[in-house]
Amino acid sequence: MGHPRAALDAEAVREAYRRWAGVYDEVFGSVSGPGRRRAVAAVNGLPGTRVLEVGVGTGLALPLYDPRKRVVGIDLSRDMLLRARERVATRRLRNVVGLLEMDAEAMAFADASFDVAVAMFTATVVPDARKLYREMRRVVRPGGQLLFVNHFAAEGGLRWWAERTLAPLSRVLGWHPDFALGDLLDDPAAAAEIVPCPPFGLFTLVRVPQPA
């Protein structure tokens, strides 16, 4: 049986992350750290230097990239981007070549602009995750890679019940707690790699190769 899920739109996301921006690192930084580090390590091990980070947020991942990678980050939240720019300046991250306010569902980049696109804890935030996926595919070159780190809903048990209970609060939280892999990928079988991440497998790393 279906359950109510509050719709997210761009303004709801902006408003939620206007509230979260000042405390995001303290509240989410530690619990999301292992998944973030695993995702960036995967990016660093892939060929190509042109990297797009979708939903760069406050820039927690930016210091982790190999200096040889040329990183562009986008986010819908101006408040989060201000903190990311402060981090880049403080850490002197010269390989971060752009931080842009942009809708991940309608990017301004040309086709095949990047070798790798990575979205960490972003797919549950955007109003339409399928549009996010299609846009990431569009801006990554043939033979490139798409990576996602995200919380995906449990299929049963106490966590499943909690996720469904929180679903109507999506607009307040700024993300969908009951988000499933099928909400993101047109065909989950397209994923070449699906790896649980600490803590407790709460987050999952998904790698989707682009056809050559």
Side-chain angles (χ1 to χ4, degrees):
M1 181 178 294
H3 62 288
R5 172 190 275 188
L8 282 175
D9 55 33
E11 189 51 42
V13 173
R14 286 192 184 95
E15 181 57 33
Y17 283 88
R18 190 175 297 123
R19 295 192 301 268
W20 286 114
V23 297
Y24 185 89
D25 293 3
E26 291 76 15
V27 173
F28 296 107
S30 295
V31 70
S32 61
R36 183 181 304 106
R37 289 190 290 273
R38 185 165 293 189
V40 177
V43 171
N44 288 341
L46 291 171
T49 60
R50 302 173 300 164
V51 175
L52 172 65
E53 185 177 332
V54 179
V56 67
T58 64
L60 282 169
L62 295 176
L64 305 176
Y65 288 102
D66 186 316
R68 293 170 292 186
K69 302 293 187 185
R70 312 299 290 172
V71 181
V72 174
I74 67 169
D75 205 284
L76 193 61
S77 169
R78 186 173 302 175
D79 299 85
M80 300 285 268
L81 282 170
L82 285 173
R83 295 182 179 274
R85 290 177 181 128
E86 291 171 2
R87 192 183 307 275
V88 168
T90 300
R91 300 291 293 269
R92 298 181 180 179
L93 303 175
R94 295 182 179 87
N95 64 319
V96 178
V97 297
L99 290 171
L100 307 171
E101 185 177 347
M102 191 180 296
D103 186 347
E105 295 180 13
M107 299 186 211
F109 305 116
D111 295 358
S113 292
F114 299 95
D115 301 302
V116 180
V118 57
M120 293 174 265
F121 318 109
T122 301
T124 50
V125 172
V126 297
D128 188 333
R130 293 281 183 89
K131 285 185 179 178
L132 165 71
Y133 175 59
R134 289 193 289 269
E135 273 294 89
M136 289 176 66
R137 290 195 63 184
R138 181 183 68 79
V139 301
V140 171
R141 65 168 173 81
Q145 300 280 340
L146 279 59
L147 290 97
F148 303 89
V149 171
N150 221 83
H151 166 77
F152 294 105
E155 295 183 358
L158 182 61
R159 203 181 92 192
W160 171 86
W161 177 86
E163 289 160 348
R164 290 172 68 87
T165 301
L166 287 170
L169 299 177
S170 295
R171 289 181 67 88
V172 176
L173 295 171
W175 67 85
H176 291 299
D178 59 337
F179 187 82
L181 182 59
D183 290 328
L184 173 64
L185 302 183
D186 297 318
D187 178 10
E193 189 175 9
I194 301 176
V195 181
C197 300
F200 316 116
L202 185 61
F203 300 111
T204 302
L205 172 66
V206 178
R207 180 175 62 83
V208 182
Q210 287 273 75

